[in-house]
Amino acid sequence: MLMFEQPVRYVAQPPLGQLDDSTLLATARERAAYLADASKQLAGSLNPDRTLRRALHVTVPAVADWAQILLPTRTGVRYTAVRADEPDRFVSEEGVRPPLGDISGHGRILTTGRHELMHVLADGHVPEIVAATVPEGQLRDGLLGLRPADLLVLPLTARGTTFGTLTLARRAGRGFESEDVAVAVEITGRIAIALDTARVYAEQAHVAEVLAASLRAPELPDTPDLAIGARMRAAMHAAEIGGDFFDVFGEPGDWSVLLGDVAGKGAEAAILTGQARHTVRGAAYYDRRPAELLRVLNAALFAGADRAQPASRFLTALSARVTTSPDGSLSVRIASAGHPRPLVIRTSGVVEEVPVKGLLCGALRTARYTEVEQELAPGDMMLLFTDGVPDAIGSGGRFGLGRLSQLAAGYAGSGPHALAEAVDIAVAEYSGAGLAPTDDVAVLAFGGVRQ
């Protein structure tokens, strides 16, 4: 159950003409204290649902015996109400969006942006204003149970737009005097700002999450003839996205592997990683040769570069085409665009650098890349990694290729999953437990599977 601080209770006062100066001063202080406390509670959350409930709590029972908020949804509107005698029971119903310009009810309030005050009689007839503002069912029953009552419908307006309404009801004997209406108008304005802020924040968070999901590393495909292990950590943990990336696609017997590192970190770098993956996948429909894929990627990056920030479209990458055999051996053709050389880990424990090199992508309008062919016997593995691995800084300086090769040799024959995990853990421990890495880290290892 959500718990709320009880705001300063605002009590309806007799008309101003019946009050002396000391009472007027006390009343003004009480109202100011109530508005200040209500504003504090409204500012306590950016969650739309929690903000909605806080908004109802600061109005009931402080300024009303019953309150209802109408807010737009993707498909219509949602009504949410609460009564003073059941402050923790929120009743919600979905409805159709009121047409703007309607002659009564919410449509008129949304169109004019002005509040309206009505009196609900005690007989069994349902007044037109109630029928136009409160949907049938529990919401209307909760209101009609207060008859006779005053009904005050106020517009929720923020950033120049009226997007919803707040409806307040008071029992007979506690009606809305002009001063009470002024307080209700004031608190409604603050509620509107809080609700609109929470709505905008939620929309931005949703958009950011959708974009982040599209920028995260893709799930590895099902490769029954190719064992793959991959790990990736972003330097910016909160964003969970970074400038390192990998991708694997193709079909049994013929797989393409891509691993790269974009200049920079965070969201800007992650956007470029997504573009790089999509560019390579698109080019692969026409020609899957690793050198050709890097050539197309280079041309695309150079064409889209911001000449005012020439380093904003650079990346290094490895592109490989892997042909599998039933006995678990692999034939790998690989090309490099300025990326650290991959390692081959033989089952004997021997570790070899693959002698491949090339110009990083995005530096020149045209670039030529060469391929190196590497044969992997059954049980051999190839390890691809970004410079966040050898460049990791610890108490002994850089992690370095020597330390990486020694670690990889110890995992000869263990399989790509174990190797990738071991490298990732070793780098994290070396750079300091609990400390954020200074660079993104991506590791991908693969080896053949006997069929």
Side-chain angles (χ1 to χ4, degrees), residues 215 243 245-247 249 258-262 269-284 293-294 296-298 300-301 313-317 361:
L215 298 176
F245 63 96
F246 60 77
D247 201 2
F249 56 91
L258 178 70
L259 183 137
D261 184 357
V262 171
I271 290 173
L272 189 54
T273 69
Q275 294 174 348
R277 290 202 311 268
H278 294 317
T279 297
V280 169
R281 283 206 174 212
L293 295 181
L294 291 181
V296 172
L297 179 57
N298 174 79
L301 293 177
R313 305 282 292 188
F314 290 164
L315 64 80
T316 66
C361 287

PDB file of all heavy atoms in Angstrom, residues 215 243 245-247 249 258-262 269-284 293-294 296-298 300-301 313-317 361:
ATOM      1  N   LEU A 215      19.662  -0.586 -29.523  1.00  0.00           N
ATOM      2  CA  LEU A 215      21.099  -0.352 -29.608  1.00  0.00           C
ATOM      3  C   LEU A 215      21.918  -1.379 -28.836  1.00  0.00           C
ATOM      4  O   LEU A 215      23.129  -1.451 -28.995  1.00  0.00           O
ATOM      5  CB  LEU A 215      21.423   1.057 -29.072  1.00  0.00           C
ATOM      6  CG  LEU A 215      20.793   2.222 -29.837  1.00  0.00           C
ATOM      7  CD1 LEU A 215      21.111   3.533 -29.149  1.00  0.00           C
ATOM      8  CD2 LEU A 215      21.271   2.243 -31.277  1.00  0.00           C
ATOM      9  N   GLY A 243      29.894   1.790 -27.097  1.00  0.00           N
ATOM     10  CA  GLY A 243      30.421   1.882 -28.448  1.00  0.00           C
ATOM     11  C   GLY A 243      31.012   0.601 -28.978  1.00  0.00           C
ATOM     12  O   GLY A 243      31.520   0.576 -30.101  1.00  0.00           O
ATOM     13  N   PHE A 245      30.455  -3.412 -30.178  1.00  0.00           N
ATOM     14  CA  PHE A 245      29.332  -4.168 -30.710  1.00  0.00           C
ATOM     15  C   PHE A 245      29.812  -5.451 -31.367  1.00  0.00           C
ATOM     16  O   PHE A 245      30.986  -5.596 -31.720  1.00  0.00           O
ATOM     17  CB  PHE A 245      28.549  -3.347 -31.733  1.00  0.00           C
ATOM     18  CG  PHE A 245      29.327  -2.969 -32.972  1.00  0.00           C
ATOM     19  CD1 PHE A 245      29.236  -3.720 -34.132  1.00  0.00           C
ATOM     20  CD2 PHE A 245      30.158  -1.848 -32.969  1.00  0.00           C
ATOM     21  CE1 PHE A 245      29.953  -3.383 -35.274  1.00  0.00           C
ATOM     22  CE2 PHE A 245      30.879  -1.495 -34.104  1.00  0.00           C
ATOM     23  CZ  PHE A 245      30.770  -2.259 -35.260  1.00  0.00           C
ATOM     24  N   PHE A 246      28.893  -6.393 -31.495  1.00  0.00           N
ATOM     25  CA  PHE A 246      29.160  -7.606 -32.259  1.00  0.00           C
ATOM     26  C   PHE A 246      27.868  -8.051 -32.912  1.00  0.00           C
ATOM     27  O   PHE A 246      26.778  -7.644 -32.534  1.00  0.00           O
ATOM     28  CB  PHE A 246      29.749  -8.722 -31.387  1.00  0.00           C
ATOM     29  CG  PHE A 246      28.871  -9.148 -30.249  1.00  0.00           C
ATOM     30  CD1 PHE A 246      27.769  -9.976 -30.440  1.00  0.00           C
ATOM     31  CD2 PHE A 246      29.151  -8.728 -28.954  1.00  0.00           C
ATOM     32  CE1 PHE A 246      26.964 -10.368 -29.395  1.00  0.00           C
ATOM     33  CE2 PHE A 246      28.353  -9.119 -27.895  1.00  0.00           C
ATOM     34  CZ  PHE A 246      27.251  -9.934 -28.119  1.00  0.00           C
ATOM     35  N   ASP A 247      28.000  -8.912 -33.891  1.00  0.00           N
ATOM     36  CA  ASP A 247      26.836  -9.457 -34.580  1.00  0.00           C
ATOM     37  C   ASP A 247      27.238 -10.765 -35.244  1.00  0.00           C
ATOM     38  O   ASP A 247      28.394 -10.932 -35.663  1.00  0.00           O
ATOM     39  CB  ASP A 247      26.316  -8.464 -35.628  1.00  0.00           C
ATOM     40  CG  ASP A 247      24.862  -8.730 -36.014  1.00  0.00           C
ATOM     41  OD1 ASP A 247      24.251  -9.658 -35.439  1.00  0.00           O
ATOM     42  OD2 ASP A 247      24.336  -8.013 -36.886  1.00  0.00           O
ATOM     43  N   PHE A 249      25.440 -13.553 -38.052  1.00  0.00           N
ATOM     44  CA  PHE A 249      24.302 -13.865 -38.908  1.00  0.00           C
ATOM     45  C   PHE A 249      24.754 -14.807 -40.021  1.00  0.00           C
ATOM     46  O   PHE A 249      25.954 -15.000 -40.247  1.00  0.00           O
ATOM     47  CB  PHE A 249      23.683 -12.593 -39.491  1.00  0.00           C
ATOM     48  CG  PHE A 249      24.646 -11.727 -40.257  1.00  0.00           C
ATOM     49  CD1 PHE A 249      24.826 -11.885 -41.626  1.00  0.00           C
ATOM     50  CD2 PHE A 249      25.381 -10.747 -39.600  1.00  0.00           C
ATOM     51  CE1 PHE A 249      25.710 -11.096 -42.326  1.00  0.00           C
ATOM     52  CE2 PHE A 249      26.275  -9.940 -40.295  1.00  0.00           C
ATOM     53  CZ  PHE A 249      26.440 -10.113 -41.658  1.00  0.00           C
ATOM     54  N   LEU A 258      30.856 -10.270 -36.915  1.00  0.00           N
ATOM     55  CA  LEU A 258      31.298  -8.870 -36.917  1.00  0.00           C
ATOM     56  C   LEU A 258      31.526  -8.425 -35.487  1.00  0.00           C
ATOM     57  O   LEU A 258      30.699  -8.675 -34.613  1.00  0.00           O
ATOM     58  CB  LEU A 258      30.228  -7.986 -37.570  1.00  0.00           C
ATOM     59  CG  LEU A 258      30.507  -6.485 -37.617  1.00  0.00           C
ATOM     60  CD1 LEU A 258      31.638  -6.181 -38.607  1.00  0.00           C
ATOM     61  CD2 LEU A 258      29.243  -5.711 -38.017  1.00  0.00           C
ATOM     62  N   LEU A 259      32.653  -7.768 -35.238  1.00  0.00           N
ATOM     63  CA  LEU A 259      32.931  -7.178 -33.932  1.00  0.00           C
ATOM     64  C   LEU A 259      33.618  -5.849 -34.160  1.00  0.00           C
ATOM     65  O   LEU A 259      34.520  -5.744 -35.003  1.00  0.00           O
ATOM     66  CB  LEU A 259      33.801  -8.104 -33.088  1.00  0.00           C
ATOM     67  CG  LEU A 259      34.098  -7.607 -31.665  1.00  0.00           C
ATOM     68  CD1 LEU A 259      33.974  -8.732 -30.655  1.00  0.00           C
ATOM     69  CD2 LEU A 259      35.505  -7.010 -31.596  1.00  0.00           C
ATOM     70  N   GLY A 260      33.176  -4.812 -33.440  1.00  0.00           N
ATOM     71  CA  GLY A 260      33.744  -3.495 -33.676  1.00  0.00           C
ATOM     72  C   GLY A 260      33.754  -2.609 -32.458  1.00  0.00           C
ATOM     73  O   GLY A 260      33.205  -2.945 -31.404  1.00  0.00           O
ATOM     74  N   ASP A 261      34.381  -1.455 -32.605  1.00  0.00           N
ATOM     75  CA  ASP A 261      34.569  -0.499 -31.520  1.00  0.00           C
ATOM     76  C   ASP A 261      34.466   0.903 -32.108  1.00  0.00           C
ATOM     77  O   ASP A 261      35.284   1.305 -32.932  1.00  0.00           O
ATOM     78  CB  ASP A 261      35.935  -0.720 -30.876  1.00  0.00           C
ATOM     79  CG  ASP A 261      36.160   0.185 -29.669  1.00  0.00           C
ATOM     80  OD1 ASP A 261      35.291   1.020 -29.373  1.00  0.00           O
ATOM     81  OD2 ASP A 261      37.222   0.059 -29.037  1.00  0.00           O
ATOM     82  N   VAL A 262      33.441   1.627 -31.684  1.00  0.00           N
ATOM     83  CA  VAL A 262      33.214   2.987 -32.176  1.00  0.00           C
ATOM     84  C   VAL A 262      33.981   3.987 -31.325  1.00  0.00           C
ATOM     85  O   VAL A 262      34.124   3.809 -30.108  1.00  0.00           O
ATOM     86  CB  VAL A 262      31.709   3.315 -32.136  1.00  0.00           C
ATOM     87  CG1 VAL A 262      31.449   4.782 -32.429  1.00  0.00           C
ATOM     88  CG2 VAL A 262      30.967   2.430 -33.127  1.00  0.00           C
ATOM     89  N   ALA A 269      27.807   6.976 -29.241  1.00  0.00           N
ATOM     90  CA  ALA A 269      28.550   5.860 -29.823  1.00  0.00           C
ATOM     91  C   ALA A 269      27.623   4.685 -30.111  1.00  0.00           C
ATOM     92  O   ALA A 269      27.760   4.006 -31.130  1.00  0.00           O
ATOM     93  CB  ALA A 269      29.667   5.439 -28.867  1.00  0.00           C
ATOM     94  N   ALA A 270      26.663   4.449 -29.205  1.00  0.00           N
ATOM     95  CA  ALA A 270      25.749   3.318 -29.393  1.00  0.00           C
ATOM     96  C   ALA A 270      24.903   3.485 -30.653  1.00  0.00           C
ATOM     97  O   ALA A 270      24.593   2.507 -31.337  1.00  0.00           O
ATOM     98  CB  ALA A 270      24.856   3.164 -28.168  1.00  0.00           C
ATOM     99  N   ILE A 271      24.509   4.711 -30.949  1.00  0.00           N
ATOM    100  CA  ILE A 271      23.729   4.958 -32.166  1.00  0.00           C
ATOM    101  C   ILE A 271      24.536   4.547 -33.395  1.00  0.00           C
ATOM    102  O   ILE A 271      24.019   3.923 -34.326  1.00  0.00           O
ATOM    103  CB  ILE A 271      23.318   6.439 -32.241  1.00  0.00           C
ATOM    104  CG1 ILE A 271      22.276   6.738 -31.157  1.00  0.00           C
ATOM    105  CG2 ILE A 271      22.764   6.779 -33.626  1.00  0.00           C
ATOM    106  CD1 ILE A 271      21.932   8.204 -31.030  1.00  0.00           C
ATOM    107  N   LEU A 272      25.827   4.870 -33.372  1.00  0.00           N
ATOM    108  CA  LEU A 272      26.674   4.516 -34.515  1.00  0.00           C
ATOM    109  C   LEU A 272      26.863   3.002 -34.611  1.00  0.00           C
ATOM    110  O   LEU A 272      26.945   2.449 -35.711  1.00  0.00           O
ATOM    111  CB  LEU A 272      28.024   5.222 -34.401  1.00  0.00           C
ATOM    112  CG  LEU A 272      28.942   5.131 -35.629  1.00  0.00           C
ATOM    113  CD1 LEU A 272      28.217   5.597 -36.877  1.00  0.00           C
ATOM    114  CD2 LEU A 272      30.216   5.931 -35.415  1.00  0.00           C
ATOM    115  N   THR A 273      26.904   2.316 -33.474  1.00  0.00           N
ATOM    116  CA  THR A 273      27.031   0.858 -33.531  1.00  0.00           C
ATOM    117  C   THR A 273      25.813   0.242 -34.209  1.00  0.00           C
ATOM    118  O   THR A 273      25.935  -0.715 -34.982  1.00  0.00           O
ATOM    119  CB  THR A 273      27.186   0.247 -32.121  1.00  0.00           C
ATOM    120  OG1 THR A 273      25.970   0.384 -31.394  1.00  0.00           O
ATOM    121  CG2 THR A 273      28.324   0.889 -31.368  1.00  0.00           C
ATOM    122  N   GLY A 274      24.625   0.783 -33.907  1.00  0.00           N
ATOM    123  CA  GLY A 274      23.420   0.281 -34.559  1.00  0.00           C
ATOM    124  C   GLY A 274      23.459   0.513 -36.054  1.00  0.00           C
ATOM    125  O   GLY A 274      23.100  -0.374 -36.847  1.00  0.00           O
ATOM    126  N   GLN A 275      23.917   1.687 -36.451  1.00  0.00           N
ATOM    127  CA  GLN A 275      24.018   1.984 -37.874  1.00  0.00           C
ATOM    128  C   GLN A 275      25.031   1.065 -38.556  1.00  0.00           C
ATOM    129  O   GLN A 275      24.817   0.616 -39.689  1.00  0.00           O
ATOM    130  CB  GLN A 275      24.413   3.451 -38.064  1.00  0.00           C
ATOM    131  CG  GLN A 275      23.339   4.423 -37.591  1.00  0.00           C
ATOM    132  CD  GLN A 275      23.805   5.869 -37.651  1.00  0.00           C
ATOM    133  OE1 GLN A 275      24.992   6.142 -37.827  1.00  0.00           O
ATOM    134  NE2 GLN A 275      22.871   6.788 -37.499  1.00  0.00           N
ATOM    135  N   ALA A 276      26.124   0.783 -37.855  1.00  0.00           N
ATOM    136  CA  ALA A 276      27.150  -0.086 -38.437  1.00  0.00           C
ATOM    137  C   ALA A 276      26.610  -1.498 -38.638  1.00  0.00           C
ATOM    138  O   ALA A 276      26.820  -2.108 -39.699  1.00  0.00           O
ATOM    139  CB  ALA A 276      28.379  -0.111 -37.530  1.00  0.00           C
ATOM    140  N   ARG A 277      25.906  -2.028 -37.636  1.00  0.00           N
ATOM    141  CA  ARG A 277      25.360  -3.376 -37.772  1.00  0.00           C
ATOM    142  C   ARG A 277      24.367  -3.457 -38.928  1.00  0.00           C
ATOM    143  O   ARG A 277      24.384  -4.393 -39.724  1.00  0.00           O
ATOM    144  CB  ARG A 277      24.669  -3.801 -36.474  1.00  0.00           C
ATOM    145  CG  ARG A 277      25.601  -4.047 -35.309  1.00  0.00           C
ATOM    146  CD  ARG A 277      24.961  -4.942 -34.260  1.00  0.00           C
ATOM    147  NE  ARG A 277      23.620  -4.514 -33.899  1.00  0.00           N
ATOM    148  CZ  ARG A 277      23.322  -3.694 -32.903  1.00  0.00           C
ATOM    149  NH1 ARG A 277      24.318  -3.178 -32.180  1.00  0.00           N
ATOM    150  NH2 ARG A 277      22.081  -3.380 -32.628  1.00  0.00           N
ATOM    151  N   HIS A 278      23.481  -2.446 -39.017  1.00  0.00           N
ATOM    152  CA  HIS A 278      22.478  -2.467 -40.073  1.00  0.00           C
ATOM    153  C   HIS A 278      23.136  -2.320 -41.452  1.00  0.00           C
ATOM    154  O   HIS A 278      22.702  -2.933 -42.433  1.00  0.00           O
ATOM    155  CB  HIS A 278      21.458  -1.350 -39.851  1.00  0.00           C
ATOM    156  CG  HIS A 278      20.636  -1.539 -38.607  1.00  0.00           C
ATOM    157  ND1 HIS A 278      20.106  -2.752 -38.244  1.00  0.00           N
ATOM    158  CD2 HIS A 278      20.251  -0.658 -37.649  1.00  0.00           C
ATOM    159  CE1 HIS A 278      19.430  -2.627 -37.121  1.00  0.00           C
ATOM    160  NE2 HIS A 278      19.502  -1.371 -36.736  1.00  0.00           N
ATOM    161  N   THR A 279      24.171  -1.482 -41.528  1.00  0.00           N
ATOM    162  CA  THR A 279      24.859  -1.298 -42.804  1.00  0.00           C
ATOM    163  C   THR A 279      25.497  -2.603 -43.271  1.00  0.00           C
ATOM    164  O   THR A 279      25.380  -2.997 -44.442  1.00  0.00           O
ATOM    165  CB  THR A 279      25.946  -0.211 -42.674  1.00  0.00           C
ATOM    166  OG1 THR A 279      25.323   1.040 -42.348  1.00  0.00           O
ATOM    167  CG2 THR A 279      26.729  -0.060 -43.967  1.00  0.00           C
ATOM    168  N   VAL A 280      26.169  -3.288 -42.368  1.00  0.00           N
ATOM    169  CA  VAL A 280      26.839  -4.536 -42.723  1.00  0.00           C
ATOM    170  C   VAL A 280      25.822  -5.603 -43.103  1.00  0.00           C
ATOM    171  O   VAL A 280      25.999  -6.327 -44.095  1.00  0.00           O
ATOM    172  CB  VAL A 280      27.732  -5.015 -41.564  1.00  0.00           C
ATOM    173  CG1 VAL A 280      28.230  -6.436 -41.811  1.00  0.00           C
ATOM    174  CG2 VAL A 280      28.910  -4.062 -41.391  1.00  0.00           C
ATOM    175  N   ARG A 281      24.740  -5.688 -42.340  1.00  0.00           N
ATOM    176  CA  ARG A 281      23.724  -6.699 -42.675  1.00  0.00           C
ATOM    177  C   ARG A 281      23.091  -6.410 -44.041  1.00  0.00           C
ATOM    178  O   ARG A 281      22.817  -7.329 -44.810  1.00  0.00           O
ATOM    179  CB  ARG A 281      22.649  -6.735 -41.595  1.00  0.00           C
ATOM    180  CG  ARG A 281      23.086  -7.460 -40.337  1.00  0.00           C
ATOM    181  CD  ARG A 281      21.903  -8.015 -39.603  1.00  0.00           C
ATOM    182  NE  ARG A 281      22.299  -8.840 -38.470  1.00  0.00           N
ATOM    183  CZ  ARG A 281      21.613  -9.879 -38.039  1.00  0.00           C
ATOM    184  NH1 ARG A 281      20.498 -10.232 -38.668  1.00  0.00           N
ATOM    185  NH2 ARG A 281      21.999 -10.580 -36.993  1.00  0.00           N
ATOM    186  N   GLY A 282      22.859  -5.146 -44.332  1.00  0.00           N
ATOM    187  CA  GLY A 282      22.300  -4.801 -45.630  1.00  0.00           C
ATOM    188  C   GLY A 282      23.250  -5.135 -46.768  1.00  0.00           C
ATOM    189  O   GLY A 282      22.845  -5.692 -47.801  1.00  0.00           O
ATOM    190  N   ALA A 283      24.533  -4.817 -46.561  1.00  0.00           N
ATOM    191  CA  ALA A 283      25.523  -5.099 -47.600  1.00  0.00           C
ATOM    192  C   ALA A 283      25.691  -6.592 -47.808  1.00  0.00           C
ATOM    193  O   ALA A 283      25.986  -7.050 -48.926  1.00  0.00           O
ATOM    194  CB  ALA A 283      26.861  -4.463 -47.222  1.00  0.00           C
ATOM    195  N   ALA A 284      25.490  -7.383 -46.751  1.00  0.00           N
ATOM    196  CA  ALA A 284      25.686  -8.823 -46.843  1.00  0.00           C
ATOM    197  C   ALA A 284      24.678  -9.507 -47.755  1.00  0.00           C
ATOM    198  O   ALA A 284      24.907 -10.629 -48.219  1.00  0.00           O
ATOM    199  CB  ALA A 284      25.625  -9.450 -45.448  1.00  0.00           C
ATOM    200  N   LEU A 293      32.429  -6.126 -47.060  1.00  0.00           N
ATOM    201  CA  LEU A 293      31.549  -5.573 -46.021  1.00  0.00           C
ATOM    202  C   LEU A 293      32.217  -4.378 -45.339  1.00  0.00           C
ATOM    203  O   LEU A 293      31.559  -3.367 -45.070  1.00  0.00           O
ATOM    204  CB  LEU A 293      31.212  -6.656 -44.996  1.00  0.00           C
ATOM    205  CG  LEU A 293      30.383  -7.833 -45.507  1.00  0.00           C
ATOM    206  CD1 LEU A 293      30.106  -8.812 -44.370  1.00  0.00           C
ATOM    207  CD2 LEU A 293      29.075  -7.351 -46.123  1.00  0.00           C
ATOM    208  N   LEU A 294      33.506  -4.485 -45.067  1.00  0.00           N
ATOM    209  CA  LEU A 294      34.212  -3.354 -44.446  1.00  0.00           C
ATOM    210  C   LEU A 294      34.318  -2.176 -45.409  1.00  0.00           C
ATOM    211  O   LEU A 294      34.240  -1.012 -44.998  1.00  0.00           O
ATOM    212  CB  LEU A 294      35.598  -3.792 -43.995  1.00  0.00           C
ATOM    213  CG  LEU A 294      35.640  -4.782 -42.822  1.00  0.00           C
ATOM    214  CD1 LEU A 294      37.089  -5.105 -42.458  1.00  0.00           C
ATOM    215  CD2 LEU A 294      34.906  -4.232 -41.604  1.00  0.00           C
ATOM    216  N   VAL A 296      32.128  -1.287 -47.707  1.00  0.00           N
ATOM    217  CA  VAL A 296      30.828  -0.615 -47.720  1.00  0.00           C
ATOM    218  C   VAL A 296      30.622   0.162 -46.423  1.00  0.00           C
ATOM    219  O   VAL A 296      30.132   1.293 -46.433  1.00  0.00           O
ATOM    220  CB  VAL A 296      29.702  -1.645 -47.929  1.00  0.00           C
ATOM    221  CG1 VAL A 296      28.341  -0.982 -47.755  1.00  0.00           C
ATOM    222  CG2 VAL A 296      29.816  -2.279 -49.307  1.00  0.00           C
ATOM    223  N   LEU A 297      31.014  -0.436 -45.312  1.00  0.00           N
ATOM    224  CA  LEU A 297      30.866   0.247 -44.025  1.00  0.00           C
ATOM    225  C   LEU A 297      31.698   1.519 -43.988  1.00  0.00           C
ATOM    226  O   LEU A 297      31.242   2.566 -43.509  1.00  0.00           O
ATOM    227  CB  LEU A 297      31.284  -0.695 -42.894  1.00  0.00           C
ATOM    228  CG  LEU A 297      31.208  -0.126 -41.470  1.00  0.00           C
ATOM    229  CD1 LEU A 297      29.808   0.353 -41.155  1.00  0.00           C
ATOM    230  CD2 LEU A 297      31.675  -1.168 -40.459  1.00  0.00           C
ATOM    231  N   ASN A 298      32.914   1.460 -44.491  1.00  0.00           N
ATOM    232  CA  ASN A 298      33.762   2.648 -44.537  1.00  0.00           C
ATOM    233  C   ASN A 298      33.118   3.749 -45.367  1.00  0.00           C
ATOM    234  O   ASN A 298      33.087   4.922 -44.964  1.00  0.00           O
ATOM    235  CB  ASN A 298      35.130   2.285 -45.119  1.00  0.00           C
ATOM    236  CG  ASN A 298      35.996   3.504 -45.331  1.00  0.00           C
ATOM    237  OD1 ASN A 298      36.588   4.033 -44.406  1.00  0.00           O
ATOM    238  ND2 ASN A 298      36.080   3.974 -46.581  1.00  0.00           N
ATOM    239  N   ALA A 300      29.958   4.199 -46.064  1.00  0.00           N
ATOM    240  CA  ALA A 300      28.764   4.718 -45.404  1.00  0.00           C
ATOM    241  C   ALA A 300      29.123   5.653 -44.261  1.00  0.00           C
ATOM    242  O   ALA A 300      28.499   6.710 -44.086  1.00  0.00           O
ATOM    243  CB  ALA A 300      27.912   3.555 -44.890  1.00  0.00           C
ATOM    244  N   LEU A 301      30.133   5.303 -43.479  1.00  0.00           N
ATOM    245  CA  LEU A 301      30.544   6.155 -42.365  1.00  0.00           C
ATOM    246  C   LEU A 301      31.128   7.466 -42.862  1.00  0.00           C
ATOM    247  O   LEU A 301      30.842   8.536 -42.310  1.00  0.00           O
ATOM    248  CB  LEU A 301      31.566   5.424 -41.494  1.00  0.00           C
ATOM    249  CG  LEU A 301      31.060   4.218 -40.723  1.00  0.00           C
ATOM    250  CD1 LEU A 301      32.202   3.565 -39.960  1.00  0.00           C
ATOM    251  CD2 LEU A 301      29.956   4.625 -39.759  1.00  0.00           C
ATOM    252  N   ARG A 313      32.735   9.711 -36.521  1.00  0.00           N
ATOM    253  CA  ARG A 313      32.204   8.586 -37.296  1.00  0.00           C
ATOM    254  C   ARG A 313      33.264   7.522 -37.529  1.00  0.00           C
ATOM    255  O   ARG A 313      33.192   6.784 -38.506  1.00  0.00           O
ATOM    256  CB  ARG A 313      31.657   9.082 -38.642  1.00  0.00           C
ATOM    257  CG  ARG A 313      30.627  10.181 -38.568  1.00  0.00           C
ATOM    258  CD  ARG A 313      29.289   9.665 -38.188  1.00  0.00           C
ATOM    259  NE  ARG A 313      28.693   8.827 -39.206  1.00  0.00           N
ATOM    260  CZ  ARG A 313      27.449   8.372 -39.169  1.00  0.00           C
ATOM    261  NH1 ARG A 313      26.686   8.675 -38.141  1.00  0.00           N
ATOM    262  NH2 ARG A 313      26.964   7.609 -40.125  1.00  0.00           N
ATOM    263  N   PHE A 314      34.231   7.420 -36.657  1.00  0.00           N
ATOM    264  CA  PHE A 314      35.281   6.433 -36.820  1.00  0.00           C
ATOM    265  C   PHE A 314      34.926   5.169 -36.040  1.00  0.00           C
ATOM    266  O   PHE A 314      34.319   5.208 -34.973  1.00  0.00           O
ATOM    267  CB  PHE A 314      36.620   6.960 -36.294  1.00  0.00           C
ATOM    268  CG  PHE A 314      37.221   8.049 -37.139  1.00  0.00           C
ATOM    269  CD1 PHE A 314      38.238   8.847 -36.639  1.00  0.00           C
ATOM    270  CD2 PHE A 314      36.785   8.272 -38.433  1.00  0.00           C
ATOM    271  CE1 PHE A 314      38.793   9.854 -37.405  1.00  0.00           C
ATOM    272  CE2 PHE A 314      37.336   9.275 -39.215  1.00  0.00           C
ATOM    273  CZ  PHE A 314      38.348  10.066 -38.692  1.00  0.00           C
ATOM    274  N   LEU A 315      35.368   4.039 -36.567  1.00  0.00           N
ATOM    275  CA  LEU A 315      35.291   2.805 -35.791  1.00  0.00           C
ATOM    276  C   LEU A 315      36.307   1.820 -36.322  1.00  0.00           C
ATOM    277  O   LEU A 315      36.743   1.893 -37.473  1.00  0.00           O
ATOM    278  CB  LEU A 315      33.880   2.204 -35.821  1.00  0.00           C
ATOM    279  CG  LEU A 315      33.279   1.716 -37.147  1.00  0.00           C
ATOM    280  CD1 LEU A 315      33.779   0.327 -37.546  1.00  0.00           C
ATOM    281  CD2 LEU A 315      31.756   1.672 -37.024  1.00  0.00           C
ATOM    282  N   THR A 316      36.698   0.911 -35.452  1.00  0.00           N
ATOM    283  CA  THR A 316      37.530  -0.226 -35.862  1.00  0.00           C
ATOM    284  C   THR A 316      36.629  -1.462 -35.869  1.00  0.00           C
ATOM    285  O   THR A 316      35.633  -1.518 -35.142  1.00  0.00           O
ATOM    286  CB  THR A 316      38.700  -0.441 -34.907  1.00  0.00           C
ATOM    287  OG1 THR A 316      38.209  -0.834 -33.618  1.00  0.00           O
ATOM    288  CG2 THR A 316      39.524   0.841 -34.768  1.00  0.00           C
ATOM    289  N   ALA A 317      36.985  -2.438 -36.677  1.00  0.00           N
ATOM    290  CA  ALA A 317      36.119  -3.612 -36.780  1.00  0.00           C
ATOM    291  C   ALA A 317      36.874  -4.804 -37.323  1.00  0.00           C
ATOM    292  O   ALA A 317      37.907  -4.658 -38.007  1.00  0.00           O
ATOM    293  CB  ALA A 317      34.911  -3.309 -37.675  1.00  0.00           C
ATOM    294  N   CYS A 361      37.564   2.286 -40.267  1.00  0.00           N
ATOM    295  CA  CYS A 361      36.447   2.719 -41.114  1.00  0.00           C
ATOM    296  C   CYS A 361      36.070   4.168 -40.825  1.00  0.00           C
ATOM    297  O   CYS A 361      35.997   4.596 -39.670  1.00  0.00           O
ATOM    298  CB  CYS A 361      35.224   1.835 -40.869  1.00  0.00           C
ATOM    299  SG  CYS A 361      35.372   0.181 -41.554  1.00  0.00           S
TER     300      CYS A 361
END
